Amino acid sequence: MALNYIWIAFFIIAVAVATVKLVFFGNVEVFPAIMNGVMDAAKNGFEISLGLTAVLSLWMGIMKVGEQGGVVNMLARWLGPLFRCLFPEIPEGHPVVGNIFMNLSANMLGLDNAATPLGLKAMEGLQELNPRKDTASNSMIMFLVMNTAGLTIVPVSIFAYRASMGASEPTDIFIPILLATLISMVVGVAITGAIQRINLWNRPVLITLAVFALIVAGMAWAAKTLSQTQMGVFSANVADIVLLAIIVAFILAGVRKHINVYDAFIEGAKGGFSTAVSIIPYLIAILVGIAAFRASGAMDWLLEGIGWVVEACGGNADITGALPTAFMKPLSGSGARGMMLECMQTYGPDSFAGRLSCIFQGSTDTTFYILAVYFGSVGIRNTRYALPCGLAADLASVIAAIIVANLFFG
């Protein structure tokens, strides 16, 4: 329901802004720009879906091998205490727990291509447990919010973009991203847990927070100890090594269980293809609404207004240059990436705005995209409070990113 109102609002605001530009400023190109943006977005949505088909087929095939090989059930048993706290609706030992863990792990390593199919597989499992098939369950909402928080431990792609733009130390935003994304996750889970009346002050949750704190401390130590070259090599290889290890482990588990690994992979891959086709209309819909909003100039007006308020309140004016990335990230991952690159090109990769835009890019995820694709894949129409909670996590990441950036680079 929330996405419905947001989608309508995109078009109403776009038309209103375009009308003002035409009537008061004589801008005769604004309406053609909106239509061109809408048509391009529809085309891009279809192309993105086609691109997802191969990735979905690969990873759903691997996940099917893992399921039949017993790996997913093993993860479900290991993570039972924590997930019983966060997802009380999921029966103890249910395989979907393993799927959720695999998705969140892929997100932590910055493996977007792997995270999406794993997330869709988890949504299928949650939908099987959902008594109201057109309405998001509490477990679905918690899972979606954890995804939109975008907890990332190794932001490999951002390091690569900074290096390509000539940053003196491409990895210097590593710790700030870690801190901002961890705060986003904690806030998102806390708000969702409060709405669902989940007691988060218990041993499994606190132990998990302690583990994450140790991971952050370890990464901080590595960032201070390793040279820039060593850090770049570490960041570029750790995700691929983990990914390959997962594939090999799943295959070996299948061999150990004496299953037909090839047939299991084919069965899962077929499901990946059908899932990719099912999400096309939902993906096109959300991208078209965002494109209309952006092409009308409404996004530019919003950012200019916020920049004026920030400067009027005596805030750091350099923040304004990075804000387009923050506002675009919940709407479009590729759009936010373009804003980040544009900011680094305009202000310099080692400027405050350039670094802040990278922290924005790495500390949260594409909320509207995730809700449209994940809920659309299982036919959920009533998303309940998933969008407000996801946006709350986004807001927390933006505020945290600004504070952390000022502490490190201000």
Side-chain angles (χ1 to χ4, degrees), residues 3 9 32 45 68 107 132 151 156 167 178 196 232 235 284 293 319 334 343 380 397 400:
L3 281 177
Q68 296 188 9
N107 274 327
R132 300 171 61 188
L151 180 60
V156 178
L178 267 178
Q196 297 180 0
S235 301
I284 290 177
F293 182 79
I319 293 174
S334 60
C343 182
I380 295 295
S397 73

Side-chain angles (χ1 to χ4, degrees), residues 245-306:
I246 290 172
I247 294 175
V248 173
F250 278 28
I251 292 174
L252 292 178
V255 172
R256 180 175 176 273
K257 284 281 188 177
H258 304 292
I259 67 170
N260 190 321
V261 175
Y262 180 80
D263 285 349
F265 178 86
I266 295 299
E267 181 184 351
K270 289 179 180 178
F273 181 83
S274 61
T275 300
V277 172
S278 69
I279 67 176
I280 290 176
Y282 298 95
L283 184 56
I284 290 177
I286 197 66
L287 291 180
V288 162
I290 293 169
F293 182 79
R294 185 180 180 186
S296 69
M299 175 66 77
D300 295 332
W301 285 12
L302 176 63
L303 293 173
E304 289 173 4
I306 292 175

Side-chain angles (χ1 to χ4, degrees), residues 2-3 43 50 111 142 144 146 165 168 185 210 231 242 261 281 294 298-299 301 303 315 355 359 373 381 397 410:
L3 281 177
K43 179 182 177 182
L50 288 180
L111 306 174
M142 178 64 80
L144 263 294
M146 293 175 75
M165 297 294 290
S168 60
M185 174 66 80
M231 191 64 188
V242 171
V261 175
R294 185 180 180 186
M299 175 66 77
W301 285 12
L303 293 173
R355 288 183 169 115
I359 300 172
V373 171
R381 298 184 181 278
S397 73

Side-chain angles (χ1 to χ4, degrees), residues 224-248:
K224 295 295 184 182
T225 304
L226 300 178
S227 67
Q228 178 183 339
T229 302
Q230 291 172 327
M231 191 64 188
V233 172
F234 169 78
S235 301
N237 285 278
V238 65
D240 290 333
I241 292 172
V242 171
L243 198 59
L244 183 59
I246 290 172
I247 294 175
V248 173

Side-chain angles (χ1 to χ4, degrees), residues 70-145:
V71 177
V72 176
N73 285 328
M74 179 183 66
L75 289 172
R77 290 194 301 271
W78 286 356
L79 298 167
L82 173 63
F83 279 73
R84 277 197 297 274
C85 297
L86 298 178
F87 303 94
E89 295 177 344
I90 299 178
E92 184 175 352
H94 196 281
V96 74
V97 171
N99 294 329
I100 292 173
F101 173 76
M102 294 297 296
N103 165 260
L104 296 177
S105 298
N107 274 327
M108 291 179 199
L109 295 172
L111 306 174
D112 296 336
N113 289 337
T116 299
L118 295 172
L120 294 175
K121 183 65 177 177
M123 284 298 289
E124 289 181 3
L126 292 173
Q127 180 70 334
E128 292 177 2
L129 300 172
N130 186 12
R132 300 171 61 188
K133 299 303 181 183
D134 64 339
T135 302
S137 66
N138 287 347
S139 296
M140 285 180 171
I141 294 173
M142 178 64 80
F143 175 59
L144 263 294
V145 170

